[in-house]
mmCIF file of all heavy atoms in Angstrom:
data_model
loop_
_atom_site.group_PDB
_atom_site.id
_atom_site.type_symbol
_atom_site.label_atom_id
_atom_site.label_comp_id
_atom_site.label_asym_id
_atom_site.label_seq_id
_atom_site.Cartn_x
_atom_site.Cartn_y
_atom_site.Cartn_z
ATOM 1 N N THR A 217 19.896 -17.420 -1.985
ATOM 2 C CA THR A 217 18.740 -18.315 -1.822
ATOM 3 C C THR A 217 19.178 -19.736 -2.133
ATOM 4 O O THR A 217 19.679 -20.011 -3.212
ATOM 5 C CB THR A 217 17.627 -17.951 -2.824
ATOM 6 O OG1 THR A 217 17.362 -16.556 -2.703
ATOM 7 C CG2 THR A 217 16.368 -18.723 -2.525
ATOM 8 N N ARG A 218 18.976 -20.635 -1.181
ATOM 9 C CA ARG A 218 19.273 -22.034 -1.461
ATOM 10 C C ARG A 218 18.109 -22.934 -1.059
ATOM 11 O O ARG A 218 17.664 -23.751 -1.832
ATOM 12 C CB ARG A 218 20.569 -22.455 -0.744
ATOM 13 C CG ARG A 218 20.903 -23.936 -0.842
ATOM 14 C CD ARG A 218 21.226 -24.351 -2.273
ATOM 15 N NE ARG A 218 21.346 -25.790 -2.440
ATOM 16 C CZ ARG A 218 20.622 -26.519 -3.300
ATOM 17 N NH1 ARG A 218 19.700 -25.952 -4.063
ATOM 18 N NH2 ARG A 218 20.804 -27.812 -3.391
ATOM 19 N N THR A 219 17.624 -22.772 0.174
ATOM 20 C CA THR A 219 16.618 -23.716 0.684
ATOM 21 C C THR A 219 15.218 -23.113 0.755
ATOM 22 O O THR A 219 14.259 -23.819 1.012
ATOM 23 C CB THR A 219 17.000 -24.160 2.109
ATOM 24 O OG1 THR A 219 17.173 -22.975 2.911
ATOM 25 C CG2 THR A 219 18.286 -24.951 2.118
ATOM 26 N N ARG A 220 15.109 -21.812 0.556
ATOM 27 C CA ARG A 220 13.856 -21.062 0.742
ATOM 28 C C ARG A 220 13.342 -21.156 2.176
ATOM 29 O O ARG A 220 12.159 -21.053 2.447
ATOM 30 C CB ARG A 220 12.784 -21.487 -0.258
ATOM 31 C CG ARG A 220 13.269 -21.379 -1.693
ATOM 32 C CD ARG A 220 12.164 -21.203 -2.705
ATOM 33 N NE ARG A 220 12.737 -20.700 -3.951
ATOM 34 C CZ ARG A 220 12.760 -19.415 -4.275
ATOM 35 N NH1 ARG A 220 12.230 -18.515 -3.478
ATOM 36 N NH2 ARG A 220 13.305 -19.025 -5.405
ATOM 37 N N THR A 221 14.241 -21.353 3.088
ATOM 38 C CA THR A 221 13.914 -21.283 4.508
ATOM 39 C C THR A 221 13.542 -19.831 4.816
ATOM 40 O O THR A 221 14.229 -18.924 4.351
ATOM 41 C CB THR A 221 15.175 -21.644 5.330
ATOM 42 O OG1 THR A 221 15.658 -22.900 4.873
ATOM 43 C CG2 THR A 221 14.904 -21.709 6.811
ATOM 44 N N PRO A 222 12.463 -19.579 5.560
ATOM 45 C CA PRO A 222 12.121 -18.184 5.880
ATOM 46 C C PRO A 222 13.265 -17.505 6.644
ATOM 47 O O PRO A 222 13.869 -18.105 7.533
ATOM 48 C CB PRO A 222 10.882 -18.310 6.770
ATOM 49 C CG PRO A 222 10.364 -19.686 6.550
ATOM 50 C CD PRO A 222 11.530 -20.534 6.158
ATOM 51 N N VAL A 223 13.560 -16.276 6.254
ATOM 52 C CA VAL A 223 14.631 -15.537 6.929
ATOM 53 C C VAL A 223 14.141 -14.124 7.236
ATOM 54 O O VAL A 223 13.221 -13.632 6.595
ATOM 55 C CB VAL A 223 15.903 -15.433 6.049
ATOM 56 C CG1 VAL A 223 16.549 -16.778 5.861
ATOM 57 C CG2 VAL A 223 15.609 -14.791 4.711
ATOM 58 N N SER A 224 14.783 -13.502 8.200
ATOM 59 C CA SER A 224 14.440 -12.102 8.461
ATOM 60 C C SER A 224 15.479 -11.254 7.751
ATOM 61 O O SER A 224 16.677 -11.418 7.962
ATOM 62 C CB SER A 224 14.445 -11.831 9.961
ATOM 63 O OG SER A 224 15.765 -11.799 10.433
ATOM 64 N N MET A 225 15.012 -10.386 6.886
ATOM 65 C CA MET A 225 15.939 -9.517 6.158
ATOM 66 C C MET A 225 15.853 -8.132 6.790
ATOM 67 O O MET A 225 14.801 -7.498 6.782
ATOM 68 C CB MET A 225 15.566 -9.462 4.676
ATOM 69 C CG MET A 225 15.727 -10.790 3.937
ATOM 70 S SD MET A 225 17.444 -11.352 3.791
ATOM 71 C CE MET A 225 18.026 -10.347 2.423
ATOM 72 N N ILE A 226 16.968 -7.675 7.322
ATOM 73 C CA ILE A 226 16.969 -6.387 8.038
ATOM 74 C C ILE A 226 17.262 -5.255 7.047
ATOM 75 O O ILE A 226 18.260 -5.300 6.335
ATOM 76 C CB ILE A 226 18.038 -6.393 9.162
ATOM 77 C CG1 ILE A 226 17.833 -7.589 10.101
ATOM 78 C CG2 ILE A 226 18.037 -5.074 9.927
ATOM 79 C CD1 ILE A 226 16.584 -7.558 10.923
ATOM 80 N N LYS A 227 16.356 -4.269 7.058
ATOM 81 C CA LYS A 227 16.470 -3.147 6.126
ATOM 82 C C LYS A 227 17.812 -2.422 6.310
ATOM 83 O O LYS A 227 18.229 -2.177 7.446
ATOM 84 C CB LYS A 227 15.324 -2.165 6.388
ATOM 85 C CG LYS A 227 15.103 -1.176 5.255
ATOM 86 C CD LYS A 227 14.003 -0.180 5.577
ATOM 87 C CE LYS A 227 12.630 -0.840 5.582
ATOM 88 N NZ LYS A 227 11.590 0.040 6.160
ATOM 89 N N GLY A 228 18.440 -2.145 5.194
ATOM 90 C CA GLY A 228 19.695 -1.395 5.259
ATOM 91 C C GLY A 228 20.909 -2.270 5.490
ATOM 92 O O GLY A 228 22.037 -1.862 5.230
#
Side-chain angles (χ1 to χ4, degrees):
T217 308
R218 174 66 189 123
T219 54
R220 305 205 162 264
T221 306
V223 292
S224 73
M225 294 293 281
I226 305 293
K227 196 183 290 168

